[in-house]
Amino acid sequence: MFSIDKIRADFPILNREIHGKKLVYLDNGATSQTPQVVIDAIVDYYSNYNANIHRGVHTLSQEATDKYEEARIKIQKHFNAKHSYEIILTSGTTHSINIVASGFVSLLKEGDEIIVSSLEHHSNIVPWQMLCEKTGAVLKVIPMDEDGSLRMDIYHELLNSKTKLVFCNHVSNALGTINPIEEIVHAAHKFGAYVLIDGAQAVPHIKPDVQDLDVDFYVASAHKMCGPTGVGLLYGKEELLNMLPPYQGGGEMIETVTFEKTTYAGLPHKFEAGTPNICGGIAFGVAVDYMNSIGFDAITKQENELLAYGTQELEKIEGLKIYGTTNKTSVISFNLEGIHPYDVGSILDKLGVAVRTGHHCAQPIMNFYCIPGTVRASFTFYNTKEEVDVLVNAVKKAKMMLS
Ligand SMILES: Cc1ncc(COP(=O)(O)O)c(CN[C@@H]2CONC2=O)c1O
């Protein structure tokens, strides 16, 4: 049974006051808050079994290794990967994307084509531009529409025999747009292209099934789904991860090292050089358990109610424009006519309301709308309608003060 009061009690930070006002945290798109059970897991690790993992001869190391690998299996099952070794634990989405991008440097040639969507976060644009610079591959872009959806008709036109890679986010961080991943993957596979999906903004809201999506790579960060910062995942189909060269050299990722030749470890360790974020990985597994204990159906219901109510109430404010009105998650990106988003965000902060303003590392979207940025309110399952009311009243106050 979904009890908002019980859920909010799980998050100590929600009791914070900001400038003497009760915190209304609506920047969940940037990072979600951390439930007590995840905080406790972090304290438990450093209090009771902190040790370096793999190959340890002593009990603490074995305990830490067991917990870390248990977390990997939890994450595997959550994303329905076929094998646990298809889950590479990284420092987050950006790191995961760069592992794949660097891996393709030796696999692409002059004239190959890469398709990227215009809704991407910079972390799913820049690594591919760097890849094109190194290989002579050509970047093609799927344009967007006024409602924040992708021009899928043009996507299908862009695909051809030279297309090798397609990159798209599952959900846009700036607008909340939910992209048609099945269609994107199916069409790309017809031309033999591999698809990487950036799930950073999807994982707080849905439970992606990587086998059902038939996606080749799927990346996300733990801090988007009630986990700690500094840890995330790269899912890859076994045969593709085996095809890619290691990303970093060092300990853990080797079988044998001689000055004549070094052989590399198999999956997942080939891509996990050095001491990983052991505690972060374990806490990521606890966050996965927590999100599943709430249940994604209940999460979706709560968030859709907040989205509908917030949209309804904000649209009543004259001069307020909402960007991205297509099928989306609980994100409302908006501006007040004639007022810079940064100024609105600053006033909201003074009133205890935490939102994000600016280009959201999605400058191509802002360029499409010819705006410097937006005010982004991103809701999640622990937010309430009362908090939406506080947001709306704060926006009205900001408009009055700044007009
Ligand atoms: C769609 C998307 N991809 C990649 C990233 C990068 O994730 P890491 O920083 O964990 O590597 C983000 C971060 N989201 C930004 C961060 O702040 N606000 C946002 O919308 C994102 O939203």
Side-chain angles (χ1 to χ4, degrees):
M1 176 66 186
F2 184 88
S3 158
I4 189 69
D5 293 335
K6 185 181 172 306
I7 283 169
R8 285 179 66 88
D10 290 340
F11 295 83
I13 201 168
L14 296 180
N15 297 315
R16 270 293 307 267
E17 287 200 350
I18 304 292
H19 304 300
K21 304 274 190 318
K22 190 164 172 44
L23 168 65
V24 174
Y25 184 77
L26 302 177
D27 194 21
N28 297 287
T31 199
S32 61
Q33 291 305 339
T34 313
Q36 192 62 49
V37 66
V38 172
I39 297 169
D40 292 347
I42 293 166
V43 172
D44 179 40
Y45 169 77
Y46 283 112
S47 304
N48 298 308
Y49 63 100
N50 173 36
N52 215 321
I53 57 175
H54 301 139
R55 295 180 314 286
V57 71
H58 59 80
T59 301
L60 280 182
S61 175
Q62 197 50 58
E63 287 177 3
T65 301
D66 292 346
K67 287 273 191 178
Y68 189 74
E69 293 305 326
E70 275 167 31
R72 191 192 308 275
I73 290 168
K74 282 179 184 175
I75 297 161
Q76 171 214 346
K77 293 189 181 329
H78 182 77
F79 289 91
N80 193 34
K82 200 183 295 180
H83 308 290
S84 62
Y85 52 77
E86 293 178 314
I87 300 294
I88 311 299
L89 288 169
T90 67
S91 66
T93 304
T94 304
H95 180 198
S96 301
I97 291 172
N98 279 276
I99 289 175
V100 177
S102 76
F104 273 96
V105 169
S106 56
L107 300 174
L108 293 190
K109 64 182 184 305
E110 180 98 18
D112 285 343
E113 294 183 0
I114 291 176
I115 296 178
V116 69
S117 106
S118 50
L119 293 175
E120 297 314 299
H121 182 277
H122 295 162
S123 65
N124 209 22
I125 298 174
V126 177
W128 309 120
Q129 291 174 313
M130 295 159 85
L131 177 60
C132 288
E133 285 160 19
K134 290 173 186 165
T135 61
V138 178
L139 194 68
K140 300 283 180 87
V141 181
I142 312 169
M144 60 183 284
D145 243 335
E146 191 63 31
D147 68 353
S149 62
L150 288 176
R151 289 291 307 276
M152 291 301 287
D153 55 329
I154 297 180
Y155 168 61
H156 290 288
E157 289 168 6
L158 288 172
L159 285 168
N160 66 75
S161 59
K162 290 185 285 184
T163 309
K164 303 300 178 196
L165 297 166
V166 175
F167 309 107
C168 187
N169 52 41
H170 203 153
V171 171
S172 158
N173 70 310
L175 305 176
T177 305
I178 301 171
N179 289 312
I181 300 307
E182 293 84 347
E183 180 182 349
I184 288 170
V185 171
H186 183 70
H189 285 175
K190 279 187 179 165
F191 288 90
Y194 299 126
V195 182
L196 178 144
I197 298 299
D198 170 355
Q201 295 291 340
V203 295
H205 309 293
I206 57 174
K207 191 171 175 177
D209 182 325
V210 294
Q211 292 187 75
D212 186 48
L213 289 170
D214 193 24
V215 68
D216 300 297
F217 301 99
Y218 199 94
V219 299
S221 303
H223 71 91
K224 303 289 188 184
M225 56 181 293
C226 295
T229 55
V231 63
L233 80 133
L234 160 61
Y235 159 79
K237 287 179 179 173
E238 178 182 8
E239 59 275 19
L240 298 182
L241 290 173
N242 282 329
M243 179 181 76
L244 297 182
Y247 175 60
Q248 289 177 318
E252 199 73 38
M253 52 75 73
I254 52 90
E255 280 296 344
T256 57
V257 177
T258 67
F259 287 112
E260 291 68 37
K261 178 160 176 49
T262 289
T263 58
Y264 302 131
L267 298 176
H269 306 301
K270 178 172 91 167
F271 293 106
E272 295 183 358
T275 300
N277 180 351
I278 302 164
C279 180
I282 293 166
F284 188 3
V286 175
V288 164
D289 286 342
Y290 180 79
M291 295 292 282
N292 284 309
S293 74
I294 306 291
F296 282 84
D297 291 344
I299 288 170
T300 301
K301 181 175 182 298
Q302 176 71 0
E303 292 177 350
N304 284 344
E305 286 174 7
L306 294 172
L307 175 63
Y309 182 62
T311 303
Q312 168 195 294
E313 294 305 304
L314 284 171
E315 281 182 333
K316 291 175 183 173
I317 300 174
E318 197 179 328
L320 185 143
K321 176 179 170 63
I322 292 177
Y323 300 89
T325 54
T326 183
N327 176 32
K328 65 178 189 174
T329 58
S330 46
V331 169
I332 303 180
S333 237
F334 64 91
N335 277 325
L336 287 171
E337 193 174 1
I339 302 174
H340 196 283
Y342 179 82
D343 297 333
V344 177
S346 302
I347 299 288
L348 265 53
D349 174 59
K350 293 285 183 288
L351 298 169
V353 181
V355 294
R356 183 150 293 242
T357 67
H359 56 62
H360 313 294
C361 292
Q363 286 175 281
I365 294 176
M366 305 303 144
N367 296 339
F368 173 84
Y369 287 121
C370 302
I371 53 177
T374 68
V375 180
R376 182 190 70 183
S378 44
F379 307 88
T380 194
F381 61 92
Y382 48 66
N383 291 127
T384 65
K385 278 193 172 180
E386 292 71 26
E387 291 184 310
V388 174
D389 290 334
V390 173
L391 166 69
V392 173
N393 290 329
V395 171
K396 288 175 182 170
K397 198 159 191 176
K399 179 185 174 187
M400 196 167 51
M401 292 169 67
L402 298 166
S403 293

